Amino acid sequence: MTINQDTRIQRRLLVTFVPQAWINDMAIPIGKPELKDATAHLLQLSLAEIHGLKDKDASSDEFVDAIAWAHYGPYEVQAVEAVKYYFAVQDLREITQEMLDEARLGLLSAQAQVQHQTHPESALEHWIVTYGEGALMFSCQAEGIVHAIEQCENAYPGETVLGAFLVPTSSDHANAMAANLQRANNAITAGELTPV
């Protein structure tokens, strides 16, 4: 593996922080999902901890200090895809101790350099994926429809994916749509609504 040390490369791990609030005993997303720099947390983890990361789990929630961001309610952190992107791998188990040690030294493999230059984090878009018998909705940041569906399948293994659509780019419209979809999803899950 060719390693280059380049001070111009500022590789940062950006995870997605989804603030929530308790509404009718349900954690409902509020506001816009935000990208947070979690590089320092990643680089203090052991290789075993990185291999064991899961979204919708304490292992990913620990990437963000919500109180430091003045959020005192529930929240969710989506970190797995960001960590895979950071190391330019398809699966967390492909990350080696050598790769982790190099990242701690600020080194970047040639493969990771190419990926970070050709697929910047800003290329991610907001997608909604429908899944399951009740047409539940999964919200994520993805490079495209295939990436969005993969994230849904990883989050809800065994569930049938029904479709996916890109949320419009107007931030106010996108935030309102995502919030309404999440409320409907939670109501269906709680049995308060019956899907049509």
Side-chain angles (χ1 to χ4, degrees):
M1 180 188 316
T2 303
I3 300 294
N4 297 326
Q5 186 165 16
D6 186 339
T7 55
R8 293 172 300 171
I9 297 169
Q10 297 295 321
R11 183 167 51 151
R12 311 304 296 169
L13 175 72
L14 300 177
V15 298
T16 303
F17 174 73
V18 183
Q20 301 171 327
W22 290 111
I23 300 173
N24 296 329
D25 295 324
M26 292 184 290
I28 305 292
I30 55 171
K32 180 180 178 182
E34 302 171 41
L35 292 177
K36 302 288 187 190
D37 186 338
T39 313
H41 179 75
L42 172 69
L43 297 180
Q44 73 179 359
L45 295 177
S46 70
L47 185 62
E49 289 171 319
I50 292 172
H51 286 172
L53 285 174
K54 294 179 184 170
D55 286 337
K56 298 182 183 279
D57 181 80
S59 64
S60 60
D61 288 350
E62 291 174 356
F63 275 81
V64 174
D65 180 356
I67 293 174
W69 291 95
H71 180 75
Y72 299 94
Y75 63 93
E76 179 183 303
V77 175
Q78 298 162 3
V80 172
E81 290 301 316
V83 172
K84 290 193 292 190
Y85 176 83
Y86 183 86
F87 285 103
V89 297
Q90 298 296 315
D91 186 276
L92 291 175
R93 296 219 167 257
E94 295 174 27
I95 300 167
T96 65
Q97 186 62 52
E98 179 186 14
M99 293 165 75
L100 180 56
D101 291 343
E102 289 165 349
R104 289 173 176 157
L105 294 172
L107 303 173
L108 188 60
S109 70
Q111 177 185 356
Q113 283 185 40
V114 169
Q115 177 169 308
H116 287 252
Q117 290 166 359
T118 59
H119 301 288
E121 195 67 36
S122 60
L124 296 180
E125 300 173 298
H126 189 179
W127 285 84
I128 300 291
V129 182
T130 55
Y131 68 95
E133 290 182 23
L136 300 173
M137 289 161 243
F138 173 77
S139 173
C140 64
Q141 298 288 320
E143 295 168 1
I145 190 168
V146 172
H147 186 209
I149 290 172
E150 284 174 355
Q151 289 185 61
C152 184
E153 289 173 339
N154 290 338
Y156 301 99
E159 293 284 355
T160 302
V161 171
L162 305 173
F165 62 91
L166 184 62
V167 175
T169 55
S170 165
S171 60
D172 291 340
H173 186 240
N175 292 340
M177 177 182 261
N180 288 335
L181 288 172
Q182 188 62 51
R183 283 190 208 93
N185 191 43
N186 290 337
I188 290 168
T189 303
E192 297 170 4
L193 288 176
T194 303
V196 177

